[in-house]
Amino acid sequence: MDEKDKNLSKKEHIRMKLLEQQGEAKLVRKIIMITIASLILLIGIVGLVGFLYINSAMKPVDPDDDTIKKVKIPIGSTVNGISTLLEEQGIIKDARVFKYYIKFRNESGFQAGEYKLSPSMPIEDIVTSIKTGKLMKEAAMKITIPEGKQLIQIADIIAGKTGEDPKKVFKKLNDKKFVNSMQEQFPQLLTSEIENEKVLYPLEGYLFPATYDFYEEKPTLETIVIEMLKKTEETLQAYQGQMDKNDYSVHEMLTFASLVEEEATAQVDRGKIASVFYNRIKEDMPLQTDPTVLYAKGSHKSRVYYKDLEVKSPYNTYKNKGLPPGPIANAGTTSIDAVLKPEKTDYLYFLATPEGEVLYSKTLDDHNNKKAEHISNK
């Protein structure tokens, strides 16, 4: 081998060495990048899981469970002791989260004594209660608002408890200044959608069905309504993700849920009723639900006649496609669940029989046959 070949061989060896080193460097960089990406992903997952857990732990144990439990907090109890006690009694979900919440908010001044608390209470109310001793007292007044009640009926219930004139209560509930003051306190709940000129009563559907305790002999109407709106806001927080997924505003969702609530009977599957409404909207068909006609007429009847269907109103879903301008009653969580998680069916019609049974149909002919059998001859 001559000198030239030796030099070429040496250069080739060096080149191969360099390529090998470059390859190793690339591999090392790749491993480092994968490791860093994995760590970032892991940190992100842990952070998300932690956030979701804490967010869940901050919510009421059971928003629908108003069972009152007696919780005795001994003299000299520490924050750790109170947190553990509340978790053991089923009033909070996680003692550690509760403890950190108290420290973060710099809360103090908790009073010893026997408290009446429930699993439906938000964490803020629990803290307020054990600071003020509020729930150690018996409620001076209880107001129960059933599901499916319209605003005028709720006004009657409030008036019956407070001794006020029902007409004056109803008028105040619809007073523009009063409604605006509620909007200022609940801007995320009472949005500009309730200001639509087509909406008959702005607070319709927003006063949540529940039992409310008041600790003063004669609370003002403002105090009563604020508690009801708080309950609505707290309840809907658990549905925010589903509402976003379905692209519903609070107003639209409450409107839809009110239709299901008013059409439902004790025996009915609300998920199927919701599916019928969804299917009709998809097919560009009017919803044609009788309760909207009765709401438009301002009357309560057991049966809607053909002449009633001609009423001129944006609430008349026989004349107008889509949802009405606003809720026609208050809706409970069962109807809200049905709207946000309806059953999957291909039904386009349903019929409530006088016996309370609900019959579903895919075609108008089948629907009319069932109507003739169960309704027309009654």
Side-chain angles (χ1 to χ4, degrees):
M1 181 182 294
D2 59 21
E3 192 66 29
K4 186 178 180 181
D5 290 338
K6 287 181 179 180
N7 289 336
L8 286 173
S9 177
K10 190 174 182 180
K11 287 180 180 180
E12 183 65 23
H13 178 71
I14 292 171
R15 190 176 72 84
M16 293 298 293
K17 270 290 186 182
L18 287 172
L19 288 174
E20 185 178 339
Q21 289 174 356
Q22 289 175 355
E24 289 175 353
K26 286 181 179 179
L27 179 60
V28 170
R29 285 197 296 270
K30 187 175 182 180
I31 292 172
I32 291 173
M33 292 299 293
I34 292 173
T35 302
I36 292 173
S38 299
L39 286 173
I40 291 173
L41 179 61
L42 181 60
I43 292 170
I45 291 173
V46 171
L48 178 61
V49 171
F51 170 78
L52 293 175
Y53 179 80
I54 292 173
N55 189 51
S56 174
M58 292 287 288
K59 294 178 180 178
V61 174
D62 185 351
D64 299 321
D65 187 357
D66 293 321
T67 304
I68 298 296
K69 296 184 178 182
K70 292 183 179 181
V71 179
K72 188 174 183 179
I73 296 179
I75 296 174
S77 295
T78 63
V79 171
N80 285 341
I82 293 173
S83 302
T84 301
L85 182 63
L86 292 175
E87 182 181 351
E88 289 174 349
Q89 293 292 323
I91 302 301
I92 60 173
K93 291 182 178 180
D94 190 295
R96 289 172 301 173
V97 173
F98 185 80
K99 179 179 65 177
Y100 291 137
Y101 172 82
I102 288 174
K103 290 183 177 180
F104 177 76
R105 294 286 297 269
N106 198 28
E107 300 282 4
S108 60
F110 299 120
Q111 300 181 33
E114 188 173 80
Y115 292 83
K116 293 180 179 179
L117 308 172
S118 78
S120 64
M121 291 179 67
I123 197 167
E124 299 90 344
D125 290 353
I126 295 171
V127 172
T128 300
S129 297
I130 59 179
K131 283 180 65 177
T132 63
K134 179 181 177 182
L135 289 186
M136 293 176 70
K137 305 174 184 176
E138 291 292 337
M141 177 190 294
K142 288 180 180 285
I143 297 180
T144 298
I145 306 298
E147 297 175 346
K149 292 298 180 183
Q150 296 177 352
L151 194 67
I152 192 168
Q153 296 170 310
I154 294 174
D156 287 342
I157 294 172
I158 294 174
K161 287 290 185 178
T162 60
E164 300 291 336
D165 183 340
K167 291 181 179 179
K168 289 183 178 179
V169 173
F170 186 63
K171 183 178 180 180
K172 182 69 177 290
L173 288 174
N174 292 289
D175 178 74
K176 188 173 183 179
K177 187 176 179 181
F178 180 81
V179 173
N180 287 343
S181 71
M182 294 298 105
Q183 283 183 286
E184 290 175 4
Q185 296 186 61
F186 299 92
Q188 301 301 316
L189 178 66
L190 302 174
T191 67
S192 59
E193 289 178 276
I194 70 170
E195 299 170 10
N196 186 331
E197 61 180 13
K198 293 182 179 179
V199 172
L200 201 53
Y201 307 120
L203 296 182
E204 185 77 86
Y206 284 87
L207 304 184
F208 199 79
T211 296
Y212 298 91
D213 294 336
F214 298 95
Y215 297 87
E216 48 190 304
E217 291 294 334
K218 196 171 181 181
T220 65
L221 181 60
E222 181 178 16
T223 298
I224 293 170
V225 173
I226 285 173
E227 288 303 308
M228 292 178 177
L229 292 175
K230 277 184 183 178
K231 181 67 173 178
T232 304
E233 192 168 63
E234 290 160 5
T235 302
L236 295 186
Q237 283 176 358
Y239 293 98
Q240 190 59 57
Q242 290 173 274
M243 284 193 286
D244 292 341
K245 184 179 179 181
N246 287 274
D247 196 26
Y248 277 134
S249 67
V250 169
H251 190 73
E252 290 170 330
M253 191 278 293
L254 288 178
T255 300
F256 204 150
S258 73
L259 302 186
V260 174
E261 187 71 51
E262 290 296 87
E263 280 286 11
T265 66
Q267 303 174 25
V268 76
D269 187 337
R270 298 172 195 227
K272 284 184 180 178
I273 286 182
S275 77
V276 171
F277 289 147
Y278 273 111
N279 292 340
R280 292 182 74 89
I281 290 173
K282 186 178 179 181
E283 295 293 325
D284 196 33
M285 299 170 64
L287 296 182
Q288 295 183 325
T289 171
D290 290 354
T292 62
V293 174
L294 296 177
Y295 188 81
K297 290 178 66 67
S299 60
H300 297 276
K301 297 192 297 185
S302 59
R303 186 172 177 180
V304 174
Y305 295 92
Y306 285 114
K307 62 180 180 180
D308 297 323
L309 306 183
E310 299 301 319
V311 60
K312 292 182 179 180
S313 167
Y315 283 87
N316 184 351
T317 55
Y318 279 84
K319 293 290 186 180
N320 306 283
K321 293 181 180 178
L323 297 173
I328 60 172
N330 65 3
T333 53
T334 307
S335 293
I336 293 173
D337 287 332
V339 167
L340 295 176
K341 291 184 178 180
E343 287 194 26
K344 292 184 178 180
T345 75
D346 51 3
Y347 295 127
L348 290 172
Y349 305 89
F350 65 84
L351 176 72
T353 69
E355 295 74 33
E357 184 182 6
V358 177
L359 308 175
Y360 298 89
S361 302
K362 299 177 183 178
T363 67
L364 180 58
D365 286 343
D366 185 39
H367 175 70
N368 286 336
N369 288 336
K370 288 174 180 175
K371 193 173 181 180
E373 179 182 355
H374 295 275
I375 304 295
S376 299
N377 296 324
K378 297 295 182 181

